[in-house]
Amino acid sequence: MKPYVLAGFQMIGLNGMIGASWLDPDDTSVAFTDLDYWIGIARQLDDAGFDFLFFADSYGFPGLDGEPLAATVREGRSIPQADPVTVVSALAAATRDLGYVVTASTTVEKPAALARRFATLDHFTKGRIGWNIVTGSQGATAASLMGEEVTPHDLRYDKADDYLELCLKLWESSWRTDAVVADRASGVWADPEGVRSISHDGPFHQAKGILNVPPSPQRTPLLVQAGTSGRGCEYAGRNAEVVFVAGGPHEVVARRVQNIRDAAVAAGRPADSITIVAGVMFLVAPTEEEAIAKHERMLSLSSYDGAAAIFAGNTGVDLLQFDQDAPLPHDLSTELGLSNLQRYLGTAEQPGPLVREIVDDFRRTGLNGSVFVGTPEQVADETEAFVAATGVDGFLVQPNVVPATYDDFIGLLLPELRARGLVRESRADSADPGAPATTLRERLFPGAGAHLPDTHYGAALRWS
Ligand SMILES: Cc1cc2nc3c(=O)[nH]c(=O)nc-3n(C[C@H](O)[C@H](O)[C@H](O)COP(=O)(O)O)c2cc1C
């Protein structure tokens, strides 16, 4: 069986995926503005054999009508949140194998600016960079910060298709593979015949010119995405190499995974050309009692108002404005985080949960849905059952308390997963500890090469 893909999940801010975990006396994330804090996490994951470190991000913040919600400011949840792109070069220099997947929105800056930044990062990381393509899950506050209107949900994905196509032309098509000769004797740095302007005249984005960065190890960063709506899956099916899904009940995650694989096939790609990774919180301890105590400690820092504020920031729906003892209207919709709203809607025939129950469930599970609690054996069993039932390829390990989340995962759970043959060995324990590092794409798709696979439409753009 294929080893689980393992990744760390972080935002450049305070820990607080479920509740205000930074309040826990053992948590160190108040040091999030200190680069050494991030170097420590990256080195720990690199040494343990994680595949990549993912940085979630948004220009938006939990707010309504452009104003931050008081509960999130007070509890330090999603506010503050600093720019993750800025730490990646430093982390790459401090690590060897670990990849970095960084979130950037298609609604904020021009495609050519983003393409240039990621091409530069692909050089500086030696091909270990991935781009989590988002269209903005906190779209309302992000749009208003940028002085723009919110773009309707499906139109955001149409624009993101066009955006990526333009980026792919710049990455794949502007430079011939062998254009750079860097020959002092002949005085030629690059063959002028090997560098050309791309031209893109799409429905939303236009560009003519070159990518002013020579081809990088992967040329195109690993393409990652996390949309789960119908249009989001269609986007993933056409474009993504890795998809993040939220955790949740097995049958819900299984349906999402199937939708994504079906969308890949509908786009003419093999179903397994997309690696699917679920966001999960792991609370592991030597005994069940200790694990349950950790879970209770985490939930004690998760307030009703804080949960409602995070939900409002994601979906644009302020649950506190509804009758707490009635279900939500079954036809409620949003142009923002549709998936999190749909989690809790019933139908005309079968009403959904009461608003009070929704807030409480969200308070316990947060945006991403699954919390695995127990001894290493229990949690390893839970991962196996989850993978068997859903078909995901691995896990994004979400932080509760840092460094304890990673200490426990690496020190307690990884040996159990390794003993069962579920994860790859760390470099130090591998048969060839001196083997050269690979690109992130080759790490996730061994043997497939550093560049976009031929089954991705972007590969046909390559000038080689
Ligand atoms: C594990 C995971 C990580 C995500 N990270 C981000 C992120 O960093 N920034 C962001 O704006 N949205 C993020 N999202 C939200 C998705 O990009 C997307 O908006 C959401 O899944 C809703 O999809 P839909 O619009 O297709 O319904 C994430 C979603 C998941 C499941």
Side-chain angles (χ1 to χ4, degrees):
M1 94 144 244
K2 263 192 339 187
Y4 295 168
V5 170
L6 287 185
F9 181 119
Q10 288 288 337
M11 280 171 270
I12 308 284
L14 299 165
N15 282 329
M17 304 267 335
I18 300 178
S21 300
W22 66 275
L23 288 170
D24 189 301
D26 290 340
D27 186 70
T28 54
S29 66
V30 284
F32 76 91
T33 49
D34 185 339
L35 193 47
D36 287 335
Y37 172 76
W38 296 107
I39 290 174
I41 292 175
R43 283 202 170 129
Q44 186 178 20
L45 300 189
D46 195 35
D47 290 345
F50 273 57
D51 295 297
F52 60 88
L53 173 53
F54 163 56
F55 287 111
D57 191 37
S58 173
Y59 279 100
F61 49 87
L64 287 172
D65 303 325
E67 287 300 323
L69 287 154
T72 58
V73 178
R74 193 168 47 243
E75 296 186 7
R77 301 188 59 196
S78 298
I79 300 171
Q81 193 172 168
D83 186 339
V85 166
T86 53
V87 303
V88 169
S89 294
L91 302 189
T95 53
R96 181 167 167 175
D97 295 302
L98 190 69
Y100 298 92
V101 173
V102 184
T103 300
S105 171
T106 53
T107 58
V108 172
E109 63 185 331
K110 299 263 188 189
L114 180 138
R116 180 163 172 258
R117 185 164 333 101
F118 275 80
T120 309
L121 280 172
D122 199 45
H123 279 293
F124 287 170
T125 60
K126 296 190 166 58
R128 290 185 282 145
I129 194 74
W131 170 28
N132 178 33
I133 307 167
V134 300
T135 64
S137 64
Q138 284 169 341
T141 49
S144 106
L145 182 67
M146 299 299 156
E148 289 173 11
E149 299 289 317
V150 176
T151 309
H153 182 269
D154 286 8
L155 183 58
R156 288 208 300 273
Y157 279 115
D158 295 344
K159 289 186 172 182
D161 261 323
D162 193 33
Y163 191 109
L164 180 63
E165 222 169 290
L166 198 170
C167 290
L168 285 168
K169 285 184 186 170
L170 285 167
W171 288 321
E172 298 289 345
S173 204
S174 183
W175 291 70
R176 207 178 57 212
T177 311
D178 60 356
V180 176
V181 288
D183 182 18
R184 284 206 174 94
S186 60
V188 175
W189 185 74
D191 175 4
E193 299 282 306
V195 183
R196 66 183 178 193
S197 283
I198 65 100
S199 172
H200 183 82
D201 187 14
F204 305 104
H205 300 287
Q206 292 76 35
K208 183 162 168 45
I210 66 163
L211 176 75
N212 208 354
V213 184
S216 59
Q218 300 183 112
R219 292 194 77 137
T220 293
L222 183 80
L223 300 173
V224 183
Q225 203 253 343
T228 39
S229 60
R231 184 63 184 92
C233 283
E234 193 187 323
Y235 189 87
R238 177 167 191 252
N239 300 303
E241 300 173 87
V242 173
V243 172
F244 297 153
V245 291
H250 286 180
E251 62 281 7
V252 174
V253 180
R255 203 161 48 239
R256 284 192 193 132
V257 168
Q258 194 55 50
N259 289 344
I260 292 159
R261 302 222 183 275
D262 289 349
V265 172
R269 301 168 65 203
D272 64 357
S273 60
I274 300 182
T275 284
I276 302 179
V277 188
V280 170
M281 174 91 68
F282 290 82
L283 299 175
V284 192
T287 65
E288 192 177 345
E289 295 69 40
E290 288 167 275
I292 290 171
K294 275 186 195 185
H295 192 203
E296 280 166 4
R297 199 157 102 181
M298 178 178 83
L299 293 180
S300 74
L301 299 173
S302 187
S303 73
Y304 195 87
D305 285 4
I310 295 288
F311 189 87
N314 180 266
T315 62
V317 174
D318 183 2
L319 293 171
L320 301 181
Q321 298 301 315
F322 289 83
D323 178 354
Q324 302 296 288
D325 292 309
L328 289 173
H330 67 87
D331 54 356
L332 193 63
S333 192
T334 178
E335 293 300 338
L336 301 177
L338 196 55
S339 311
N340 271 305
L341 181 61
Q342 284 171 342
R343 247 167 98 176
Y344 296 117
L345 295 182
T347 59
E349 298 76 38
Q350 196 172 4
L354 306 180
V355 170
R356 181 180 308 289
E357 292 164 344
I358 297 173
V359 179
D360 200 54
D361 180 77
F362 196 74
R363 187 183 77 76
R364 300 175 70 85
T365 55
L367 283 173
N368 289 330
S370 282
V371 186
F372 293 171
V373 186
T375 63
E377 295 73 25
Q378 289 171 326
V379 173
D381 287 349
E382 205 160 355
T383 65
E384 288 200 72
F386 192 89
V387 168
T390 63
V392 300
D393 299 295
F395 298 99
L396 279 171
V397 180
Q398 299 180 330
N400 171 34
V401 170
V402 169
T405 291
Y406 301 125
D407 290 348
D408 294 342
F409 191 95
I410 293 165
L412 300 173
L413 184 60
L414 265 191
E416 181 63 29
L417 296 176
R418 288 214 166 102
R420 299 184 188 196
L422 297 172
V423 291
R424 66 159 87 198
E425 289 175 315
S426 68
R427 174 181 277 279
D429 294 334
S430 71
D432 186 7
T438 67
T439 61
L440 179 56
R441 185 171 283 113
E442 289 164 291
R443 191 173 169 98
L444 296 188
F445 299 95
H451 298 142
L452 275 177
D454 290 344
T455 50
H456 193 288
Y457 80 93
L461 298 168
R462 189 167 317 128
W463 189 16
S464 50

